Amino acid sequence: MKNTVTTFKDAKAKGQKISMLTAYDYSTAKLMDEAGINGILVGDSLGMVMLGYEDTLSVTMEDMIHHTAAVARGAKNALIVGDMPFMSYQTSVYDAVYNAGRLMKEGRCQAVKLEGGASVCPQIKAITEAAIPVMAHIGLTPQSVNAFGGFKVQGKSEEAARRLLEEAKAVEEAGAFAVVLECVPAKLAELITRSINIPTIGIGAGPDCDGQILVYQDMLAMYSDMKPKFVKQFAQVGQLMKEGFTAYMKETEEGTFPAEEHCFKISDEVISKLY
Ligand code: KIV
């Protein structure tokens, strides 16, 4: 069954948890879809985990469209959310609608995500009015890493916590169908979740959000440049990959790969005529 923004809304109403992961390519998206994951975010985190940048700031619209289209070809049932990269929506409401439209039209996602609270509400409203569902993202918003002075937990003081609660209400009011809460103290995330009617999707925001999201290379232990406290490694795929690469290298060096079953045949009669 195809997951839609309505599925997300109904899940919150029924108290059913929503599972989301990031993906950036066809094969991984297909595996996640077969596993039954509700939503796939083609995150601008691809700048770090796929392209090796130190942050997400260099990711372009072309990068996002390219990877979103690949994921969309692989996942038939998950709701696909395309992330709007740095400076594709902050510059104006016009740019925001134009670029969200490109992501949906060329990337074939069913929703877009953008970072920020009150300051991007005009963009959220205008994109939503163009019939493109918007997932908001507040708390630690990685595109603001330079303004924050690093990747830090948000909303710890009374003033900051109040501001985050207000931002969550503001993005709901502007028309967002869901909101990501990143690096927010668990009790504050619980309060936000209870205070708004749209689903909260947590990453480093405790168990009481309506859903969870993780970067797949983090939860499969494939990316070691950074290991945030909130990441749980559900499988040691990085180690398995290394073992596979080493075994291949060894058999190649020894000449035991390829074996007979991996070879194409030709009749002796044909080959003998070539000598
Ligand atoms: O880009 C991304 O992967 C994200 C998630 C971490 C929520 O924004």
Side-chain angles (χ1 to χ4, degrees):
M1 261 263 293
K2 179 71 188 169
N3 285 270
T4 65
V5 292
T6 311
T7 319
F8 275 44
K9 190 170 166 230
D10 292 349
K12 174 156 182 142
K14 292 183 199 149
Q16 289 167 352
K17 296 281 189 183
I18 300 164
S19 57
M20 287 193 73
L21 284 171
T22 67
Y24 318 95
D25 70 280
Y26 171 84
S27 307
T28 311
K30 199 165 177 203
L31 289 170
M32 285 176 190
D33 209 47
E34 286 165 4
I37 293 294
N38 297 123
I40 298 179
L41 169 70
V42 188
D44 64 352
S45 49
L46 73 84
M48 298 167 82
V49 295
M50 299 292 290
L51 305 178
Y53 297 132
E54 65 181 32
D55 54 39
T56 60
L57 303 182
S58 304
V59 176
T60 65
M61 273 302 296
E62 268 54 45
D63 292 331
M64 291 312 307
I65 289 168
H66 180 74
H67 288 271
T68 303
V71 168
R73 288 191 288 271
K76 299 294 164 236
N77 294 324
L79 176 78
I80 297 161
V81 183
D83 217 357
M84 298 199 57
F86 184 53
M87 286 299 135
S88 67
Y89 58 94
Q90 291 92 339
T91 42
S92 70
V93 169
Y94 176 88
D95 287 349
V97 177
Y98 178 77
N99 286 318
R102 280 196 71 197
L103 209 45
M104 184 172 257
K105 216 171 157 149
E106 300 172 51
R108 302 296 306 179
C109 54
Q110 292 99 41
V112 300
K113 179 174 83 56
L114 52 78
E115 297 182 6
S119 65
V120 292
C121 279
Q123 282 89 332
I124 295 175
K125 187 164 184 292
I127 298 170
T128 307
E129 281 172 1
I132 301 171
V134 179
M135 179 175 275
H137 181 164
I138 61 173
L140 170 56
T141 45
Q143 291 175 13
S144 305
V145 60
N146 290 310
F148 289 149
F151 295 105
K152 295 179 185 155
V153 179
Q154 301 296 305
K156 286 185 87 164
S157 68
E158 183 189 334
E159 190 197 342
R162 235 178 247 291
R163 200 169 44 240
L164 265 189
L165 183 56
E166 289 316 312
E167 305 240 76
K169 290 179 181 167
V171 297
E172 175 180 25
E173 175 72 25
F177 77 93
V179 56
V180 170
L181 304 180
E182 180 165 353
C183 284
V184 172
K187 285 191 175 155
L188 176 59
E190 182 197 355
L191 174 63
I192 293 174
T193 301
R194 279 201 275 112
S195 306
I196 58 177
N197 295 308
I198 56 173
T200 57
I201 309 294
I203 173 161
D208 295 308
C209 296
D210 297 304
Q212 298 291 328
I213 184 164
L214 283 173
V215 169
Y216 93 82
Q217 286 91 339
D218 286 342
M219 53 87 70
L220 295 183
M222 293 168 65
Y223 178 77
S224 54
D225 292 8
M226 206 186 250
K227 186 181 173 308
K229 173 185 162 79
F230 57 77
V231 170
K232 175 172 173 180
Q233 296 181 334
F234 286 82
Q236 297 299 315
V237 174
Q239 184 54 33
L240 271 180
M241 287 173 80
K242 271 196 227 165
E243 284 168 20
F245 299 147
T246 309
Y248 162 76
M249 188 180 72
K250 189 165 169 281
E251 288 194 24
T252 298
E253 285 169 2
E254 289 168 356
T256 51
F257 173 80
E260 203 184 332
E261 67 266 31
H262 308 119
C263 297
F264 300 104
K265 296 199 181 345
I266 187 171
S267 77
D268 288 346
E269 197 190 332
V270 172
I271 204 76
S272 64
K273 291 197 175 128
L274 304 179
Y275 281 93

